[in-house]
């Protein structure tokens, strides 16, 4: 954001002008969904669930057909109760949103005013900063050496005007994670006035015992919010539903600005059903656990550098400059073969592509296409 631009006289302008900073925001770029010449490309560009969604969730979604004329429950009570029971949380401390994206936006809006700053990692998920800039706050990017969040670097960015820290664990687009001991160390070093948001969108895919999504800290801390989504493990990205677990005071403050009907009846019902479908969740995790190491090993064999230790349903693939083939060229080549992956250049990772772990034939198609590309 151009902080130094002279203030505009918006009242004297010949047309309505957005408030300062808005037009400097880079709009969110979603993963590509189309490949020319392919009616159904292999879409590995948005970290969706390769297995689709739970049949139980689909049936619940269909049941909403009879209720299209009715406003949804503004408290989202059925999913509130289900999440509270499943994770042993106090229902009144839950915030539901149109995806966890909306929970981030609500937190930014609640805590940031012009002159404040938000701190995140260098490769932090784009939605964090978009929401902070919209509040005319400064965004501070802490270096992530080795593509990993570094607590000391985050702390170096914090000052008296820091109101919020966003930390996706595991991260997107890096796929890396930090242990709970580091999260605790970060929390202990923060003033109690700073909100620490732990985004667990991919937390379910992290199987190492040293991983913890932070709920155990959030239960007792007065400044920690943990978010989760139904878009990834549960495969409900289209329905836009996510949640946050916050201290009661934060949940109550957020509730004052939340749009009253921000999650739909279909989303609430499908999310309850998805949460109860443990078979689907298990199958989704197994798919990732089988193919993540396979992809890592195969891509490594092509002289590509898979960023180590992905704890997510995707891998971040580096194209070494010495290989003479760039990530941008690879993205175009893969699309010509009907395989869509995600460029990471907007995160400053020009030499990397991010690929979602797909079904067996999709993963094999990705590796074959990349092998052909590297041979060229
Ligand atoms: C790190 C991270 N957090 C949050 C989200 C947003 O998820 P939702 O679909 O719940 O808005 C994503 C989506 O890709 C993500 O990658």
């Amino acid at each position: 954001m151009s902080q130094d631009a002279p203030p505009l006289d918006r009242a004297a302008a010949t047309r309505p002008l957005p408030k300062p900073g808005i037009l400097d925001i880079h709009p969110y770029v979603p993963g590509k969904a189309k490949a020319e010449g392919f009616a159904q490309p292999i879409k590995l560009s948005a970290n969706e669930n390769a297995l689709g969604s739970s049949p139980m969730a689909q049936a619940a979604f269909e049941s909403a057909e009879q209720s299209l004329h009715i406003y949804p429950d503004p408290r989202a009570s059925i999913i509130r109760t289900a999440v509270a029971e499943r994770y042993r949380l106090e229902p009144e401390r839950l915030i539901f949103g149109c995806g966890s994206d909306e929970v981030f936006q609500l937190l930014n809006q609640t805590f940031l005013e012009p002159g404040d700053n938000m701190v995140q990692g260098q490769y932090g998920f784009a939605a964090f900063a978009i929401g902070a800039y919209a509040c005319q706050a400064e965004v501070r990017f802490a270096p992530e050496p080795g593509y990993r969040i570094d607590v000391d670097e985050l702390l170096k960015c914090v000052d008296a005007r820091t109101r919020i820290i966003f930390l996706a664990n595991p991260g997107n687009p890096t796929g890396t994670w930090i242990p709970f001991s580091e999260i605790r160390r970060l929390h202990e070093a923060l003033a109690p006035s700073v909100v620490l948001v732990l985004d667990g969108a991919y937390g379910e895919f992290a199987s190492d015992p040293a991983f913890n999504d932070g709920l155990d800290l959030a239960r007792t801390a007065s400044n920690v919010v943990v978010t989760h989504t139904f878009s990834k493990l549960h495969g409900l990205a289209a329905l836009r539903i996510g949640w946050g677990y916050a201290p009661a005071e934060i949940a109550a403050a957020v509730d004052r600005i939340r749009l009253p009907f921000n999650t739909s009846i279909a989303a609430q019902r499908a999310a309850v059903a998805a949460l109860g479908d443990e078979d689907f969740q298990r199958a989704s995790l197994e798919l990732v656990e089988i193919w993540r190491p396979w992809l890592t090993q195969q891509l490594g064999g092509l002289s590509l550098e898979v960023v180590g230790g992905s704890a997510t349903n995707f891998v971040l693939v580096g194209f070494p400059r010495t290989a003479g083939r760039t990530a941008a060229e690879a993205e175009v080549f893969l699309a010509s073969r009907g395989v869509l992956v995600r460029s990471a250049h907007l995160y400053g990772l020009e030499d990397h592509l991010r690929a979602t772990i797909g079904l067996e034939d999709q993963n094999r198609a990705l590796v074959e296409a990349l092998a052909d590309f590297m041979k060229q």
Side-chain angles (χ1 to χ4, degrees):
M1 191 159 74
S2 48
Q3 307 269 351
D4 302 332
L8 292 168
D9 184 353
R10 294 168 66 206
T14 54
R15 61 189 166 82
L17 291 181
K19 61 186 181 179
I22 295 294
L23 298 180
D24 297 325
I25 296 174
H26 203 297
Y28 183 80
V29 179
K32 292 199 172 95
K34 286 188 186 146
E36 219 180 296
F38 293 87
Q40 283 189 316
I42 297 174
K43 187 169 181 246
L44 305 176
S45 57
N47 301 340
E48 291 145 343
N49 190 321
L51 292 180
S53 55
S54 141
M56 284 156 68
Q58 290 170 18
F61 171 80
E62 280 164 25
S63 78
E65 191 177 277
Q66 299 306 317
S67 311
L68 296 185
H69 58 298
I70 295 172
Y71 282 104
D73 170 10
R75 292 285 297 156
S77 306
I78 56 169
I79 185 63
R80 184 177 296 274
T81 305
V83 168
E85 279 176 6
R86 164 82 169 68
Y87 294 92
R88 289 176 295 104
L89 304 172
E90 307 89 320
E92 67 282 3
R93 289 180 57 184
L94 292 167
I95 303 164
F96 287 87
C98 173
S100 44
D101 276 353
E102 192 193 9
V103 181
F104 308 145
Q105 195 189 31
L106 289 167
L107 290 165
N108 274 322
Q109 282 177 12
T110 304
F111 290 100
L112 291 174
E113 62 180 307
D116 288 342
N117 68 67
M118 177 276 262
V119 173
Q120 61 161 58
Q122 173 182 6
Y123 308 119
F125 180 51
F128 304 155
I130 291 175
Y133 287 138
C135 300
Q136 296 177 286
E138 180 197 347
V139 176
R140 297 187 172 181
F141 297 88
E144 293 188 45
Y147 309 102
R148 203 172 301 273
I149 287 286
D150 182 310
V151 164
D152 295 309
E153 294 291 351
L154 284 175
L155 288 171
K156 277 189 220 163
C157 293
V158 173
D159 67 11
R161 290 306 299 265
T162 303
R163 298 283 170 265
I164 189 160
I165 298 185
F166 280 97
L167 196 168
N169 198 29
N172 172 22
T174 58
T176 60
W177 61 282
I178 59 170
F180 193 38
S181 52
E182 282 296 278
I183 300 280
R184 280 197 188 280
R185 188 164 77 82
L186 171 64
H187 178 249
E188 276 163 20
L190 290 177
S193 56
V194 179
V195 182
L196 174 61
V197 183
L198 302 171
D199 168 8
Y202 299 96
E204 292 90 345
F205 297 106
S207 46
D208 193 297
F211 177 83
N212 184 303
D213 64 2
L215 279 177
D216 290 339
L217 178 62
R219 284 179 215 278
T220 50
S222 60
N223 60 340
V224 176
V225 181
V226 172
T227 62
H228 276 281
T229 180
F230 283 94
S231 302
K232 309 295 176 187
L233 177 70
H234 299 289
L236 297 182
L239 290 181
R240 313 304 304 124
I241 183 160
W243 55 275
Y245 175 64
E249 295 77 10
I250 293 183
V254 163
D255 228 24
R256 290 168 188 253
I257 56 168
R258 182 181 59 79
L259 293 179
F261 306 110
N262 62 335
T263 58
S264 69
I265 293 179
Q268 293 173 17
R269 287 191 192 171
V272 172
L275 207 55
D277 191 344
E278 289 183 9
D279 289 343
F280 181 80
Q281 293 164 37
R282 201 172 308 113
S284 302
L285 289 177
E286 273 171 17
L287 182 84
V288 168
E289 269 158 27
I290 291 170
W291 293 101
R292 188 167 56 195
W294 184 85
L295 269 176
T296 306
Q297 187 242 334
Q298 294 286 317
L299 297 174
L302 298 176
S303 310
L304 299 171
E305 288 169 357
V306 180
V307 170
S310 169
T312 60
N313 67 341
F314 61 85
V315 286
L316 184 65
V317 188
F319 290 71
R321 298 236 158 142
T322 47
R325 319 288 295 132
T326 69
E329 289 165 349
E331 187 191 5
V332 172
F333 182 86
L334 288 171
S336 77
R337 298 277 289 257
V339 180
L340 295 171
V341 294
R342 180 80 137 100
S343 161
H345 79 276
L346 285 177
Y347 289 91
L349 292 163
E350 290 84 5
D351 297 333
H352 291 77
L353 293 178
R354 194 195 69 192
T356 309
I357 291 151
L359 303 173
E360 173 170 358
D361 56 338
Q362 298 175 325
N363 299 325
R364 290 190 188 278
L366 170 69
V367 170
E368 268 168 39
L370 275 176
D372 290 346
F373 170 74
M374 294 303 282
K375 261 189 250 150
Q376 275 186 339

